[in-house]
Amino acid sequence: MSTTQAQGPLAGAADYLDQRTGIASVVKGFARKIFPDHWSFLLGEIALYSFVVLIISGVFLTMFFVPSMGLVEYTGPVSTMSGQLVSEAFNSTLRLSFEVRGGLLMRQIHHWAALLFMAAIVTHMMRVFFTGAFRKPRELNWMVGFILMILGLAAGFTGYSLPDDVLSGNGLRITDGVIKAIPVIGAYMSYFVFGGEFPGGDIIPRLFTIHILVVPALILALVGLHLLFVVVHKHTQYPGGGRTDKNVVGFPLFPIYVAKAGGFFFIVFGVIALMGATMAINNVWNYGPYDPSPVGAGAQPDWYMLFLEGSLRLMPGQAEFVIGGYTLSLNVLIPAVVIPGILFTFLAVYPFLESAVTKDKREHHVLDRPRNVPVRTGLGVGFLTAFIILALAGSNDLIATHFSLSINSITWVFRIGFFVAPVLAFWITKRICIGLQRKDRELVLHGHETGRIVRFADGEYIEVHKPINDQERWLRVSYDAHKPLEIEPREDSRGVRRKGFKQDARLQKLSRFFYEDRVEPVTPTELAAAHSHGEHDQIDAHAPAAQLAGGSGASVSDHDADSHGHQH
């Protein structure tokens, strides 16, 4: 059996690889995968490309950073630090910044890329949440993304703490306090984590290992799994004409999407490099080496950890109790463990909660419009409101100094706002969504307002509406309006209490919370009735005599005769 010789070195290499791995069929099938074209899908790509920048810049930094807490005398070019005893980690950070060519640029690129990485993950998860992209069969992929967000927080915290300066040391001190607040085992865990009494001598090397080895390896593995699920499940798409759960409308991966993705990677890389070159960040020489005594105003962590800082600042400090000789520090446990636990648990379990209250077992590949699921959208906005309030509270000292306000007053405003604002945000968002749904019904049934008024010979005035097109109609009627669950009676026909009734009753109450307030989409019967009411016939019958309001004797055009007329 003869084989055709491939032409050129690349073709020859590809042929060699294909004959030994059979990869050509896989590549061919993958290249034909269709991806929708919508700007919001770029959020996940920004996270991926930021992570690539983190890896590239992190490799460079690893070559010069010394992860040691051993003390040395600083003799570098920073005159304010000259002669001070600093840790080798802090000393190598200053050397990276002032003595290694391009070191400061790479440090700042790395830091900005980390901030953008977390921002892209959070906004990507917001897009997935508000559009219902987590529904079957993507619940597991939602969990993968959730774990990636947690790992991103871990990567940011461990990297932020490595320079061993005053700012990062304060963060580690807070971490030590949170660990010690854990009842019974807290002190032992702190001793284990820090390798002795805080700050110990091992925390920087341990954080370094976690930061450059453990967390990146887990992120790489989960990113691969995340992308594999995207390919297996096919991509979600926004609702519109011709888009169903059985197709994907978009462009093939190769060559169109590959070219776009490649260009977008260089755009992201370029923006991060520009930020690193022009925007100073984490200037550790301004803070000095870690010393447990100084803590000044403006000591804030990176934005994605501000909510935890704010939670600790809002909690009153008197909530401590001694039980059986052990101190129960609720003033630390509630803000540092309970509140973040509620936020993260909500994100993790929500897809399964919504699936339970709908009993919907179908696959969904077409996304929801947020207005069509008002409770989900309201809950998302409510939790975002709580997160933003906590983040602002983490900067309450800066707000006080910049606006000459009382920090106590600011703290109390945020304490009250943390409980009140999310509820208000939920209610307002839900009402807005329902209002938008009603507006959609009005558009489908009656069309767009044109501002044109016609008058009949008998003096009757009618506003002429312009019908919406098929694409607009499809967008507003092709969705499911879930109803509250209907459950079996408490007792069966023989009077025997049904097993599982209490659980079903709880789910029914929850489903009422989710779906009792809803607006049903327009049905074909309603649409046909709206398009055949008598006002159309009146316009046709009186067209010769109809006049524009304020005008003289002009006839209603054929276009107007086909439009919806509304009596005023």
Side-chain angles (χ1 to χ4, degrees), residues 190-203:
S190 172
Y191 199 88
F192 170 76
V193 169
F194 289 93
E197 189 65 33
F198 179 85
D202 298 328
I203 188 62

Side-chain angles (χ1 to χ4, degrees), residues 72-195:
V72 296
E73 183 179 341
Y74 180 73
T75 57
V78 184
S79 58
T80 56
M81 297 286 147
S82 183
Q84 290 192 40
L85 281 179
V86 300
S87 67
E88 290 188 85
F90 186 81
N91 184 68
S92 63
T93 302
L94 293 184
R95 179 170 173 261
L96 250 172
S97 302
F98 294 101
E99 300 178 58
V100 175
R101 190 177 297 273
L104 181 58
L105 174 64
M106 295 303 286
R107 272 193 65 225
Q108 297 193 156
I109 286 176
H110 193 74
H111 204 128
W112 281 117
L115 297 182
L116 185 61
F117 175 65
M118 285 307 303
I121 286 181
V122 171
T123 50
H124 177 61
M125 290 191 70
M126 288 168 56
R127 196 275 302 173
V128 172
F129 179 86
F130 285 117
T131 60
F134 53 76
R135 294 172 296 169
K136 183 181 178 180
R138 295 177 181 84
E139 301 96 332
L140 292 181
N141 211 12
W142 168 264
M143 291 301 301
V144 170
F146 169 76
I147 297 172
L148 279 171
M149 184 188 70
I150 301 298
L151 289 174
L153 294 175
F157 174 75
T158 54
Y160 175 83
S161 303
L162 288 179
D164 200 28
D165 60 302
V166 168
L167 198 59
S168 63
N170 287 336
L172 285 175
R173 186 46 146 167
I174 293 173
T175 303
D176 177 56
V178 172
I179 294 174
K180 286 180 177 176
I182 299 174
V184 183
I185 63 173
Y188 302 100
M189 288 185 63
S190 172
Y191 199 88
F192 170 76
V193 169
F194 289 93

Side-chain angles (χ1 to χ4, degrees), residues 303-378:
W303 73 266
Y304 47 84
M305 297 297 291
L306 261 179
F307 80 99
L308 185 58
E309 175 84 7
S311 180
L312 287 164
R313 292 188 184 193
L314 291 186
M315 185 69 188
Q318 297 82 9
E320 286 189 351
F321 304 94
V322 177
I323 302 176
Y326 293 97
T327 301
L328 186 62
S329 300
L330 296 180
N331 53 354
V332 176
L333 286 174
I334 291 177
V337 179
V338 176
I339 291 179
I342 292 173
L343 292 173
F344 291 140
T345 301
F346 169 78
L347 286 176
V349 306
Y350 185 84
F352 307 97
L353 181 66
E354 188 172 295
S355 176
V357 298
T358 59
K359 299 293 185 181
D360 188 359
K361 305 300 182 183
R362 298 169 301 163
E363 290 192 359
H364 295 275
H365 303 292
V366 176
L367 300 173
D368 285 326
R369 300 175 77 203
R371 67 182 62 184
N372 293 334
V373 276
V375 172
R376 180 207 296 162
T377 305

